[in-house]
Amino acid sequence: MLDTRVDEFAVETHGLTKRFSDEIVAVNDLDLRVKRGEIFGFLGPNGAGKTTTLRMLVGLIAPTSGSAVVAGYAPGDRRGLARLGAMIEAPAFYPYMSGQQNLAVLAKYAGVSFDRIQTTLAQVGLEARGNHKVGTYSTGMKQRLGVAAALLKNPELLILDEPANGLDPQGMVEMRELLRGLGDAGHTVLISSHLLAELEHICDRVGIIRSGRLIALGTLAELRGGSRSLLIQAQPQERALLLLTALLGPNSVHKSEDGQLLVTAPQSRTGEISRALVQAGLELTELRPVERSLEQTFLELTTSEGRAA
Amino acid sequence: MIASFQAELMKLWRRPAVWVLGGILVAAIVALGYVVSWLVVSHIPAGSDLARTVRDPASLKVAYYPVNWVKNTLGIGGELGGAMCMVLGVLVVGSEYGWGTFKTVLTQTPARLATFGGRLGAVALVIGIYELAIFLATAVTSVVIALIDNHSITWPAAGTVIAALAAEWLVFAMWTAFGMLLAFLFRQSGLAVGIGLVYMLILEGLVLSLLSQVGGQWILELRKLLPGTAASALADSFGQSGSALATRAAAQALIGAQRATITLGVYVVAFCAIAAIVFRRRDVME
């Protein structure tokens, strides 16, 4: 029967928790929503709870409490799994069989036509080594095969755990292009990583997890904090500092080490600030928004008490 | 279930360890059960203990002729094959934990019980192939030995052969299920093989046998409930092996063939049921 379920979210969790013991809470009260058709980055340092979360989403482990809906169904439901492909942690295959044979076994389990095998091997650039034994593959090749296995069902939702691990720079670029292409083709991609650079160029939204808790969620621009910082160069600088402090408050104006003024203010006040400086007879030589790098944001969030975006 | 069975069979079919294990099993049974012991009986050194106790070596050699093919194969094959099948059962499950491939499989198909059932079916087929190879190899060897000794070739009745095949398959299935259960419980191969062999060879094979000599009736009653006793009793119900190297004590006296069959069947079902529950309920962390 044709499944006509259409939900806004490909993944939705409510209070998802996994407790391994009284001391070890791997995932704590996680509320996560991944919209259909987006590429969602699930970011966090090692041991933050990313893989445990993904294992719960595909039904490999049962949550201690909370609930999740994945591809329209509870994790582990056959109808949901039929619509998702996943690679969790390091890809694992039968070393005595070739990549092609491994995919054939998985295609048989999934009830997928063997025709898909060559297509997916080509998608990940492994067609030339497909008939070689997996035991002879490099880490990067196993990673590609893992992604090929996840693509076998041509799923509407892809869950990939650190897919760029072990890839060389060229391989990382190709992986990014592949994922971007999947996103453009309408697939939902949930991709986890502890490497910001891996996600920065491909994700529509990012969630940051630390110690099992989601500490930030939003678009990359939102996570960078928008353009709330302004860099100002005006002469004489001491008069500019006094004027801006009077205008915006003492906590909003800082002098950087290289002598520039950094002002915390919404971009909407840029005109007001520039007018005030010029009308006071100051020579305004530079006024521009300063974006925090995502790297900076990530480090701030994951090394100090996080904020919920 | 059928798709899982086909997938499991693809894996087992291509796995060298499965066929190396089967090859070693067949070679060991032919060597120990036929070739070596026939050579010993054919060339008894003068002055040896065997020479003093055996007055008519030709009567011993009858054990290796086709007429005794079934009971000799069951006598040697049941025990050795049981141990090898236990190892097979451990391998087909324990390696998946070692390689981490359960997560790969279970993200393709959600039905853990179907996967489990498919695995059982594929392993059942493999042990059937083992068994046929054993019976075929020992049949050929017994014919060769009979031809060398200029002895007539007489085969056991077809019904006996079919019953023996069924009996040995049941014994193999029980030990394979035992091995699979251990691997599911310990989530690895090494510990499971170690514990399985210790149970088969040391605990049930040696300790309980020795204790039953001195421990009284309750140990005998306990032994009647154990899988190894049932396996031996079923094999012995076809007649005791006359092979010179057949070392196992007769278990036929403890329980009869019917009870042995029922006991083995119960163990197969119990081992599989517990393994299925463990597999279904446990988190897949590997």
Side-chain angles (χ1 to χ4, degrees), chain B residues 15-27:
Chain B
R15 187 168 179 187
V18 169
W19 306 115
V20 169
L21 201 62
I24 290 172
L25 174 60
V26 172

Side-chain angles (χ1 to χ4, degrees), chain A residues 18 20 55 58-62 76-78 81 84 86 88-90 92-97 101 104-106 108-110 114 149-150 152-153, chain B residues 2-4 6-8 10-12 14-16 96 99-112 115 119 281-286:
Chain A
K18 183 64 182 180
F20 289 114
R55 280 180 185 274
V58 298
L60 290 176
I61 63 177
D77 187 290
R78 62 187 316 155
L81 269 188
L84 79 86
I88 306 296
E89 230 170 3
F93 293 99
Y94 302 100
Y96 56 89
M97 290 197 290
Q101 289 166 341
V105 167
L106 298 179
K108 186 58 81 176
Y109 277 122
F114 285 174
L152 259 184
K153 288 180 274 190
Chain B
I2 290 170
S4 290
Q6 290 171 328
E8 294 291 340
M10 285 167 76
K11 287 191 294 187
L12 291 182
R14 292 195 166 99
R15 187 168 179 187
E96 300 265 5
W99 293 322
T101 38
F102 270 135
K103 71 178 178 204
T104 309
V105 168
L106 294 175
T107 48
Q108 295 293 343
T109 172
R112 293 194 190 190
T115 308
R119 187 171 303 250
R281 295 179 64 100
R282 258 196 189 160
D283 287 345
V284 177
M285 299 300 296
E286 292 76 16

Side-chain angles (χ1 to χ4, degrees), chain A residues 12-18 27-33 56 63-68 212:
Chain A
E12 193 172 3
T13 73
H14 295 285
L16 199 65
T17 300
K18 183 64 182 180
V27 177
N28 196 353
D29 200 23
L30 184 74
D31 289 326
L32 186 69
R33 287 183 184 84
M56 285 193 279
T64 308
S65 61
S67 64

Side-chain angles (χ1 to χ4, degrees), chain A:
Chain A
M1 193 171 70
L2 184 66
D3 196 333
T4 55
R5 289 181 67 124
V6 178
D7 302 314
E8 184 188 353
F9 300 110
V11 175
E12 193 172 3
T13 73
H14 295 285
L16 199 65
T17 300
K18 183 64 182 180
R19 187 181 291 275
F20 289 114
S21 68
D22 287 345
E23 291 82 30
I24 303 172
V25 184
V27 177
N28 196 353
D29 200 23
L30 184 74
D31 289 326
L32 186 69
R33 287 183 184 84
V34 178
K35 294 174 189 164
R36 285 195 183 280
E38 76 173 341
I39 299 184
F40 184 90
F42 195 39
L43 200 60
N46 290 330
K50 304 185 295 293
T51 299
T52 304
T53 302
L54 300 188
R55 280 180 185 274
M56 285 193 279
L57 294 182
V58 298
L60 290 176
I61 63 177
T64 308
S65 61
S67 64
V69 177
V70 182
Y73 297 93
D77 187 290
R78 62 187 316 155
R79 293 163 296 182
L81 269 188
R83 296 159 68 174
L84 79 86
M87 182 184 78
I88 306 296
E89 230 170 3
F93 293 99
Y94 302 100
Y96 56 89
M97 290 197 290
S98 69
Q100 225 164 349
Q101 289 166 341
N102 267 283
L103 293 185
V105 167
L106 298 179
K108 186 58 81 176
Y109 277 122
V112 171
S113 161
F114 285 174
D115 297 342
R116 284 285 303 159
I117 294 170
Q118 284 309 323
T119 310
T120 53
L121 283 173
Q123 268 182 294
V124 299
L126 257 189
E127 63 270 50
R129 292 291 305 272
N131 58 351
H132 293 184
K133 283 191 177 160
V134 167
T136 67
Y137 282 15
S138 66
T139 307
M141 290 166 72
K142 285 179 189 162
Q143 208 71 18
R144 288 166 190 263
L145 188 61
V147 175
L151 289 169
L152 259 184
K153 288 180 274 190
N154 194 21
E156 57 186 65
L157 168 64
L158 263 174
I159 296 179
L160 301 174
D161 192 7
E162 314 249 7
N165 267 4
L167 295 181
D168 56 24
Q170 176 66 26
M172 288 176 90
V173 170
E174 288 170 9
M175 183 64 73
R176 275 202 290 268
E177 284 171 0
L178 171 67
L179 295 175
R180 192 69 260 178
L182 290 167
D184 291 344
H187 296 267
T188 307
V189 184
L190 168 55
I191 171 174
S192 86
S193 181
H194 66 281
L195 298 173
L196 196 63
E198 197 180 313
L199 303 184
E200 191 162 12
H201 303 293
I202 56 172
C203 289
D204 301 312
R205 286 195 311 143
V206 170
I208 297 179
I209 185 172
R210 185 171 70 96
S211 303
R213 286 181 178 278
L214 193 69
I215 54 173
L217 179 68
T219 63
L220 298 182
E222 286 168 350
L223 288 183
R224 283 192 187 103
S227 303
R228 288 165 56 205
S229 289
L230 296 173
L231 184 145
I232 296 173
Q233 292 218 57
Q235 297 299 331
Q237 196 182 57
E238 288 310 312
R239 275 189 61 205
L241 181 62
L242 288 171
L243 188 148
L244 291 168
T245 303
L247 184 67
L248 303 166
N251 295 329
S252 300
V253 186
H254 303 280
K255 196 172 174 181
S256 71
E257 285 176 3
D258 53 3
Q260 295 169 326
L261 298 177
L262 285 172
V263 171
T264 305
Q267 209 168 357
S268 57
R269 296 192 69 180
T270 307
E272 179 192 353
I273 291 167
S274 66
R275 257 195 320 275
L277 290 167
V278 170
Q279 283 171 1
L282 294 166
E283 185 184 353
L284 181 62
T285 55
E286 188 173 10
L287 194 160
R288 62 179 168 85
V290 180
E291 286 195 342
R292 282 193 300 168
S293 74
L294 198 54
E295 192 89 40
Q296 193 182 354
T297 309
F298 177 63
L299 286 173
E300 283 171 15
L301 287 169
T302 55
T303 54
S304 62
E305 282 304 310
R307 64 185 167 83

